[in-house]
Amino acid sequence: ILKKGDTLSIPNVETAAKMLGMRTMTTIDLNIPEFKLRIIEAGKTTHTFPVRVGRKEVKYLEMAKREVDLRTTPGKGEIVRLERFPAYINPANGKRYHQTKRDDGRYTKMPLIPYIEPEINGQRHGELIHPTTNPVTLGRAYSNGCVGMKEADTWRVYYYAPIGTKVVFRYDLDIQNEEGEWIRLEDIYGERLGLASAIN
């Protein structure tokens, strides 16, 4: 990994303590209808990533052995599991994926990028934060409930999301754009509108 001329910085005790302290002030923030996941440190947004979220559909999933509401669940919680060696399973039929077809038409093995599992409202819904090899699906309600991200972005979130990191999955339709103007997002889930103010 390191090449001749590269520099590796090792933090001293004081710097390491400061870095660990910042982790207690970090929140993984997802606004579902905006299709954006943010890393917020001490109240300041440091990273913003495009994501895909669960679609508005009820479907039988073999992994759950029942019909499941595929919409990503709003609420508050924390990271409870990091799966460093993930197995990619099709939740609809329970079969494992061993390769994937990417947007460029190439087939490759599945990426070895950790899953991040949050617990929301005291429950583990199975709505993982994980990479997708099909980034054209970002910005859409497309998944079986999970939060899909670009592969490189998932690595970044993994770095900021050790077990215990705070998580907020919200459903805010009225937001400020980059110019500071208030805009209203499309209500992708309809009847979930009433949950928005309860989880701010």
Side-chain angles (χ1 to χ4, degrees):
I1 296 173
L2 296 176
K3 300 176 182 177
K4 185 176 182 179
D6 287 348
T7 301
L8 179 65
S9 297
I10 300 175
N12 59 24
V13 174
E14 292 79 14
T15 303
K18 182 179 178 181
M19 292 169 66
L20 291 172
M22 282 299 293
R23 287 188 168 183
T24 65
M25 296 185 285
T26 299
T27 299
I28 304 302
D29 173 84
L30 167 71
N31 189 16
I32 296 167
E34 189 183 8
F35 307 109
K36 293 284 181 66
L37 183 145
R38 296 173 173 86
I39 297 172
I40 301 174
E41 295 184 276
K44 180 181 178 182
T45 299
T46 58
H47 298 80
T48 302
F49 307 109
V51 300
R52 71 183 187 194
V53 298
R55 59 188 181 272
K56 186 179 179 181
E57 181 182 337
V58 175
K59 179 180 178 180
Y60 178 83
L61 297 182
E62 180 62 27
M63 285 186 71
K65 303 293 185 185
R66 60 181 173 84
E67 287 193 336
V68 175
D69 184 344
L70 301 183
R71 296 173 295 183
T72 301
T73 306
K76 294 182 179 180
E78 63 181 33
I79 301 299
V80 294
R81 182 170 70 100
L82 302 170
E83 184 56 59
R84 293 179 176 85
F85 302 100
Y88 290 82
I89 309 294
N90 183 335
N93 58 27
K95 294 182 179 179
R96 182 171 180 173
Y97 290 111
H98 295 282
Q99 64 177 7
T100 181
K101 183 179 181 181
R102 296 173 180 267
D103 290 336
D104 60 6
R106 292 186 304 161
Y107 285 90
T108 67
K109 291 182 178 180
M110 303 304 293
L112 287 176
I113 301 173
Y115 283 163
I116 303 167
E117 183 179 1
E119 179 182 86
I120 300 295
N121 302 331
Q123 297 184 42
R124 296 170 73 166
H125 299 278
E127 297 172 348
L128 308 173
I129 300 171
H130 66 74
T132 174
T133 57
N134 296 297
V136 294
T137 61
L138 301 176
R140 296 166 58 188
Y142 185 88
S143 76
N144 291 308
C146 291
V147 179
M149 308 183 67
K150 292 179 182 178
E151 294 171 85
D153 292 348
T154 310
W155 275 118
R156 287 185 179 272
V157 175
Y158 172 73
Y159 174 80
Y160 286 94
I163 290 174
T165 301
K166 290 179 289 185
V167 175
V168 175
F169 283 5
R170 54 193 172 91
Y171 196 88
D172 289 347
L173 295 174
D174 296 309
I175 66 166
Q176 284 184 292
N177 62 19
E178 294 180 359
E179 289 73 37
E181 301 169 329
W182 284 94
I183 61 172
R184 188 168 184 81
L185 302 171
E186 179 186 353
D187 186 4
I188 60 172
Y189 290 166
E191 61 272 22
R192 278 217 146 138
L193 218 175
L195 295 176
S197 59
I199 58 176
N200 285 331

